[in-house]
Amino acid sequence: MSPRNKGHLWRDIGAQLPFLAWLVVLWMLLWAQFTVLSFLTGLVVAIFVTRVFRLPTIALSGRINLWYGFLFVVQFLFAVVRGALSVTVQVFDFRRQPGAAIIAVPLRYADDLVMTHVAVTSSLIPGSLIVEADRDRRILYLHVIGVRNRADVEKQRDGVLLWERRIVRALGDPAQYRALRADERAVGKKGGVR
């Protein structure tokens, strides 16, 4: 193996290290054993899985804001509870059918990683589900319930874009975060609402 290939291999392993660590933790949780043997077998399985089922290397931003991450988790849990209550009310409202729509949401700051986080977050909140993701144009298509008019559709779209901004604040790369801050300052100068 040439020195160049060795360097590439170590760079790939370094980039995949958080993913490997997460697979080892999942392995240990799966077996409910936190022993050295469980760690070593989990490491072997994680390396085997990542080498046999080769996925493209995901470049992490290297930036995690703990405060915005904490806010994201709290807001997400609140949104899940609110969404569940909203869907429950719609299901038991026998006077009318809950309206449904498929909406397109063009993301503003997303790369593959942020787009995935926004899609998963949107799907986990009751009342909406990702039906397609257009990776090239950075558009998420959601099936949402509880929409009756154009204003409801725009409210849902704005909600997804708000989740995108929250995710960029929590773990977006520095360029995404700077673009978000610049847009927020521009909106602030115009006196508009975010």
Side-chain angles (χ1 to χ4, degrees), residues 31 42 82 85 92 147 150 155 163 179 182 192:
W31 296 107
R82 188 179 66 216
L85 293 174
F92 288 109
V147 293
R150 186 70 134 161
K155 182 180 174 187
W163 285 112

Side-chain angles (χ1 to χ4, degrees), residues 100-147:
I102 294 182
I103 63 171
V105 182
L107 301 178
R108 296 181 179 145
Y109 311 103
D111 59 5
D112 288 346
L113 189 61
V114 171
M115 187 175 187
T116 301
H117 285 302
V118 174
V120 169
T121 301
S122 299
S123 286
L124 289 175
I125 297 171
S128 64
L129 179 69
I130 298 293
V131 293
E132 186 175 345
D134 185 342
R135 180 180 177 207
D136 295 330
R137 295 187 302 158
R138 304 283 186 237
I139 298 175
L140 293 178
Y141 295 92
L142 288 87
H143 178 272
V144 294
I145 61 171
V147 293

Side-chain angles (χ1 to χ4, degrees), residues 22-50:
W22 179 242
L23 287 176
V24 171
V25 168
L26 284 177
W27 180 262
M28 293 169 77
L29 288 171
L30 176 68
W31 296 107
Q33 294 181 357
F34 300 94
T35 63
V36 173
L37 181 60
S38 177
F39 171 79
L40 293 175
T41 56
L43 185 61
V44 169
V45 168
I47 291 171
F48 176 77
V49 165
T50 56

